Amino acid sequence: MTLSRRNWLAFASAAAVLMLAGGVGATAAEPSKALQLPPLAERVKTHEALRLLAELGYEPGVVDRMMTANIAGAIREFQRSRNLPVDGRVTDELLAALRDARR
C-alpha cells in the first residue's frame, strides 16, 4: 500500500500529535515526558545570555534548542571571571552580571 502525499501528511501529523500527547496509551493524568521544551521565559533568558556572551568575546557557539558543552563552558568561564557560582546555568544573577559587564 502506498500513501499519497495528502495521506502521508495526515499520517505524519497524527503521529506527531500522539508523540506530543505521550503515546498511544497516555491518559490525561499522565503528563508527557517526551519533547518538553523549557518555558518561553527561560528560552528568552538563554538567548539573551548567549548574545551577551558573544558580544563580550566568549564563544558560546550556536543555539540549537539544546544546552551544548560550548554554551555551558562559555557561561562557566564568564562566571569564574566574575567570581559567581560556577554552574554553567543561565540565572537571573548571570544575566545581571552580563548586562553590567557590557556597560
Side-chain angles (χ1 to χ4, degrees):
M1 176 175 115
T2 61
L3 294 175
S4 69
R5 186 165 192 262
R6 178 179 289 169
N7 287 340
W8 186 88
L9 288 173
F11 177 76
S13 298
V17 168
L18 284 173
M19 284 177 29
L20 289 173
V24 174
T27 64
E30 174 184 315
S32 172
K33 300 274 191 262
L35 195 64
Q36 291 184 350
L37 294 174
L40 179 60
E42 294 302 314
R43 295 193 310 257
V44 169
K45 284 182 185 181
T46 301
H47 281 272
E48 181 183 1
L50 295 180
R51 182 180 54 79
L52 292 170
L53 283 165
E55 286 178 14
L56 292 169
Y58 296 89
E59 297 182 19
V62 297
V63 178
D64 61 355
R65 295 185 184 178
M66 302 177 86
M67 182 63 84
T68 64
N70 289 346
I71 296 169
I75 292 171
R76 284 188 192 99
E77 188 178 335
F78 178 80
Q79 288 171 327
R80 274 189 216 93
S81 73
R82 300 293 172 158
N83 295 323
L84 297 170
V86 180
D87 59 6
R89 297 178 51 210
V90 177
T91 62
D92 291 333
E93 294 79 20
L94 174 72
L95 282 174
L98 284 166
R99 290 176 190 137
D100 287 343
R102 201 173 116 211
R103 293 180 191 166

